[in-house]
Amino acid sequence: MSITKTSSIPRQDRMKFPTTINPTSLPQWRVLNEHARSLQSVHLRDLFADNPRRAQQFSADAAGIFVDYSKNRITAETMQHLFALVDACALRPAIDAMFAGVPINHTENRPVLHVALRAPRDADIRVDGRNVVPAVHDVLDRMGACADRIRAGNWDGYSGRPIRNIVNIGIGGSDLGPVMATEALKPFAKPGLRVRFVSNIDGAHLQETLRDLDAAETLFIVASKTFTTQETMTNAQSARAWCLAKLKDESAVARHFAAVSTNIDAATEFGIDPDNVFGFWDWVGGRYSLCSAIGLPLMIAVGPDHFRAMLAGFHAMDIHFRDTPWTDNLPVILALLGIWHGNFMGYDTHAVLPYSQCLARFPAYLQQADMESNGKSVDRSGHAVDIMTGPIVWGEPGTNGQHAFFQLLHQGTRIVPADFIAVCRAAEPMGRHQDMLAANCFAQTQALAFGRSAADVETEGTPADLVPYKTFSGNRPTNTLVLDALTPRTLGALIALYEHKIFVQGIIWNIYSFDQWGVELGKKLAHRILEDLTRKDDGMSGDHDSSTAALIRRYRTHTSG
Ligand code: F6P
C-alpha cells in the first residue's frame, strides 16, 4: 500500500490543524483520573492471577515488532478510557493533516512530512500543490550513486587514491540518527570502509577522530539542515584546514567534501562542489531527518539496498500507524501508556533499555526525538500547560544497565516505566550469548512486575533483619518490544514507531511537537559570552549576572599567559 494525498481535509480548514483542545477540560480526562485512583492499590500479581489471557489481551504486533504491554498497571477499562481520550483529542484529523502536508508545524508555518521521505516512488504527497515524492527519490538516487561509487573504490581523492574513510560532521538531528543507525546496522556494513562522526565543538572530538586517518583517503560530509550551526561550521572549517594542510591545494576540497543541507547556497559558498551537495527540505525536522540525505553516511556504510530496506520498514510502520484502529495501533498504544504513566500515575521519566549492543545509541537518539519535540510548556492556544508533557527519556543497553542503575528501578522510591527491547536472532551469533541476553531481558521485566514478597524471602531462611532489604515490591510497569532480528527493515519500523508515538502524545498534550524554540536562548548567550572570554582587556561587553561574570573572569585568569 502506498501513501497518497489525503483529500479529506478541505483547503480552507487546513490552517486549523491540529485544532486546540485542552485535554484536562475533557470529561475523558476526569474519568481517567478517577479510574487511576481506583487502580492505586491494585498489583500486577493479582491482575495476572485473575486473567490467564492477560498477555494475549495486552499485546500487538506490526512491521516485525511485537509489543507486550501486559506488565503495566492497566485493565481493559483503562485502555477503553485512553482510546476515548485520543478520539476526544482529535487524533484522527491530526494524522490525516500530517500525511496530507498541512502546515501543522504552526509556529514555523511548515508541513511535517518525514513520512514522504520513505514513501514509494508512485506515492503522491503534495506541498503547495506539488508532489514532493519525485524530488525525494531523485535525491535518494543521487545518494545511491555516490554510495556505490565510494563502496566500489571509484571515488578518487585529490591524489588519486580511493576514499576509504568517511567523516560526518553534524550535530543533533544531523548526527544522532546516522550515528545510531550506523552502529545498529554495523553487521551489514562494508568491511574496510571507516565511517566516523564528529559532533562536539570540543576540538578533541575532531582531532581524535582524524588522528589515524590519511587525508588523501578521507571524505568529509558536512551535514547541517541550516548550514549555520556553530559547532558544525567550526568543525567543518577546522576539517577543511586539516585537509588543506595535508594536501596543500585549495582544489582538493572539491574531492574531499560533500554536504547535506536545505541551504544549498551556503554549502556551495563553503567551496563544496554542487555535484556533491545533497538537498532536503524545510518540511523535514532535523530530528526526523534520518531518511533524508542526512542518512548519507549510513547509506555509504551499509549500501543503498539496505538503506532502502530501512526506508521500507519506516514506511510499513507509517502505514500501520495511519490505517490501523487504535486498539491494535502500536504507536497509539505506546503513546497512551506514556500518558497514563505521566499524567495519571505521576511517573516523570521513561527508560529505554535495548538488549542489543548494536542499539547502544538508541536511547540517546530518542532523547532528542522525544525531548526536543515534547519538552514544551505552552499549548496550541498560547497558554501555559497545566499538566506534565514530555518525560525525561534516558537509558543504556542491557545487560550493562543491570550492573549500574537497575537497583533504583527495582527498589528505589521512584517508579520508572521502561521499554525493554529484545532481539530474537543475533546478527552476529556467538555461542549462547543471544539466549543469555534475551533471558536477562525477560527476567528483568518479570522481576519488576512481580517482585518478591517478604513471605517468599522468609521461606528461604533469610535472617529476619534482612528480610526488608531482600523484598521487592514489584508492580513496576514495563513494555517489552521484541524484534525478530535487528535488520535494516525492523530498525526503520522501530524508529518510526517512536516517531509516531511522540506525535500522538504531542496531539494529546495540545502542544506543538515540531518546533524547538527552547534551544535558541543558550545559543545567543554563548555568542555574547564567547566575545567576553577572549577579550584582551579586563572589561565585559555583555551585561552578565554576577555568577556568569565571575565564571568568565575565572576562565580568563586560567587561560591568559
Ligand atoms: O540546536 C538544536 C538543533 O536546531 C536541532 O533541532 C538540530 O537537529 C540541530 O540543532 C542541528 O541543526 P542543523 O542540522 O541545522 O545544523
Side-chain angles (χ1 to χ4, degrees):
M1 206 188 321
S2 68
I3 293 178
T4 52
K5 189 178 80 156
T6 305
S7 57
S8 60
I9 302 157
R11 183 165 281 284
Q12 68 274 16
D13 287 346
R14 288 185 167 204
M15 289 308 292
K16 293 189 192 152
F17 286 97
T19 41
T20 175
I21 297 168
N22 178 354
T24 61
S25 69
L26 296 168
Q28 290 82 355
W29 194 271
R30 189 179 36 75
V31 168
L32 273 158
N33 259 325
E34 281 161 18
H35 177 66
R37 273 195 289 279
S38 77
L39 285 186
Q40 278 309 333
S41 54
V42 171
H43 201 289
L44 279 166
R45 283 181 205 133
D46 302 318
L47 292 174
F48 272 88
D50 292 348
N51 178 4
R53 290 200 67 260
R54 186 173 170 85
Q56 288 95 311
Q57 187 178 358
F58 298 108
S59 59
D61 68 317
I65 301 175
F66 173 80
V67 178
D68 174 351
Y69 58 100
S70 63
K71 293 192 183 92
N72 290 290
R73 206 187 318 167
I74 52 163
T75 62
E77 193 188 336
T78 317
M79 295 311 293
Q80 271 167 20
H81 293 319
L82 288 167
F83 293 134
L85 175 69
V86 89
D87 277 329
C89 291
L91 177 63
R92 181 74 264 162
I95 293 175
D96 289 346
M98 177 170 74
F99 278 81
V102 175
I104 61 169
N105 177 1
H106 178 73
T107 63
E108 296 181 316
N109 191 26
R110 291 173 182 168
V112 174
L113 271 180
H114 40 277
V115 294
L117 299 172
R118 52 266 191 156
R121 264 181 216 279
D122 61 353
D124 184 348
I125 302 174
R126 296 194 172 239
V127 174
D128 297 329
R130 285 185 58 180
N131 182 10
V132 297
V133 178
V136 165
H137 282 270
D138 279 353
V139 175
L140 284 171
D141 291 343
R142 286 187 57 227
M143 288 164 63
C146 165
D148 281 340
R149 200 171 140 204
I150 293 170
R151 290 165 63 82
N154 292 334
W155 181 307
D156 290 342
Y158 172 73
S159 48
R161 305 221 309 267
I163 294 297
R164 291 181 218 280
N165 314 311
I166 306 294
V167 178
N168 189 80
I169 298 177
I171 197 164
S174 301
D175 169 73
L176 288 162
V179 170
M180 176 275 289
T182 303
E183 191 69 25
L185 299 180
K186 231 179 205 163
F188 298 83
K190 185 176 170 65
L193 198 57
R194 282 191 280 212
V195 180
R196 294 182 179 173
F197 296 86
V198 175
S199 52
N200 204 322
I201 191 79
D202 184 341
H205 200 180
L206 182 65
Q207 291 190 67
E208 289 304 324
T209 303
L210 301 184
R211 191 175 295 289
D212 60 344
L213 299 188
D214 183 340
E217 300 180 344
T218 301
L219 174 73
F220 292 94
I221 300 173
V222 185
S224 173
K225 180 175 170 182
T226 54
F227 228 75
T228 57
T229 304
Q230 186 194 50
E231 292 92 330
T232 301
M233 290 304 106
T234 307
N235 279 326
Q237 290 294 356
S238 299
R240 192 176 192 275
W242 176 84
C243 191
L244 291 183
K246 307 268 178 191
L247 300 177
K248 309 205 183 312
D249 187 341
E250 192 79 15
S251 65
V253 171
R255 297 277 188 94
H256 292 271
F257 278 80
V260 176
S261 188
T262 56
N263 190 349
I264 310 277
D265 291 345
T268 41
E269 228 167 80
F270 182 91
I272 296 174
D273 183 340
D275 283 349
N276 301 343
V277 179
F278 299 86
F280 63 112
W281 307 271
D282 68 2
W283 40 262
V284 181
R287 52 194 177 273
Y288 297 90
S289 64
L290 173 61
C291 299
S292 74
I294 290 292
L296 182 61
L298 170 67
M299 191 195 264
I300 295 170
V302 302
D305 289 347
H306 287 315
F307 192 85
R308 284 194 185 271
M310 181 186 78
L311 297 185
F314 269 96
H315 181 65
M317 187 57 74
D318 293 342
I319 297 302
H320 165 79
F321 172 55
R322 193 193 60 181
D323 294 347
T324 308
W326 307 152
T327 49
D328 294 308
N329 192 312
L330 295 188
V332 172
I333 290 168
L334 289 189
L336 289 173
L337 291 168
I339 300 279
W340 174 246
H341 292 142
N343 297 113
F344 299 102
M345 298 305 232
Y347 311 147
D348 56 0
T349 86
H350 183 83
V352 178
L353 308 166
Y355 274 64
S356 159
Q357 191 58 32
C358 287
L359 287 174
R361 298 291 291 160
F362 193 62
Y365 168 78
L366 272 190
Q367 277 179 332
Q368 189 203 13
D370 200 320
M371 295 168 82
E372 201 166 82
S373 297
N374 286 342
K376 309 285 168 65
S377 51
V378 177
D379 73 12
R380 295 199 292 265
S381 303
H383 301 127
V385 294
D386 52 1
I387 46 172
M388 196 152 63
T389 57
I392 297 161
V393 176
W394 61 283
E396 280 288 323
T399 57
N400 294 0
Q402 291 174 204
H403 301 273
F405 52 80
F406 270 49
Q407 165 65 38
L408 184 147
L409 300 192
H410 286 287
Q411 289 188 318
T413 50
R414 292 162 197 274
I415 304 285
V416 181
D419 289 352
F420 283 72
I421 304 174
V423 177
C424 296
R425 287 192 308 279
E428 299 182 81
M430 185 190 250
R432 295 198 67 202
H433 286 241
Q434 193 66 15
D435 298 340
M436 290 160 125
L437 189 60
N440 272 281
C441 177
F442 300 156
Q444 291 299 324
T445 62
Q446 194 174 40
L448 286 162
F450 300 101
R452 188 122 214 268
S453 68
D456 276 355
V457 178
E458 275 160 14
T459 57
E460 271 180 348
T462 305
D465 59 333
L466 288 183
V467 169
Y469 301 101
K470 294 192 158 199
T471 299
F472 291 68
S473 62
N475 217 14
R476 293 173 186 239
T478 61
N479 296 311
T480 309
L481 283 67
V482 185
L483 275 53
D484 304 343
L486 182 58
T487 62
R489 193 178 165 92
T490 56
L491 178 69
L494 182 69
I495 301 168
L497 167 58
Y498 280 94
E499 285 180 345
H500 297 316
K501 171 197 166 183
I502 292 163
F503 172 80
V504 174
Q505 292 189 329
I507 294 300
I508 295 173
W509 286 322
N510 197 30
I511 55 178
Y512 288 120
S513 298
F514 298 101
D515 58 20
Q516 56 284 318
W517 300 109
V519 300
E520 295 305 323
L521 177 61
K523 287 186 196 172
K524 239 187 233 150
L525 295 178
H527 280 291
R528 278 176 50 195
I529 291 173
L530 178 63
E531 259 175 56
D532 281 336
L533 282 183
T534 49
R535 261 177 90 114
K536 293 282 167 268
D537 58 29
D538 203 34
M540 294 276 180
S541 47
D543 178 18
H544 305 293
D545 63 89
S546 62
S547 161
T548 308
L551 291 169
I552 292 171
R553 289 211 170 85
R554 169 97 191 168
Y555 184 90
R556 279 180 185 165
T557 313
H558 288 269
T559 49
S560 60

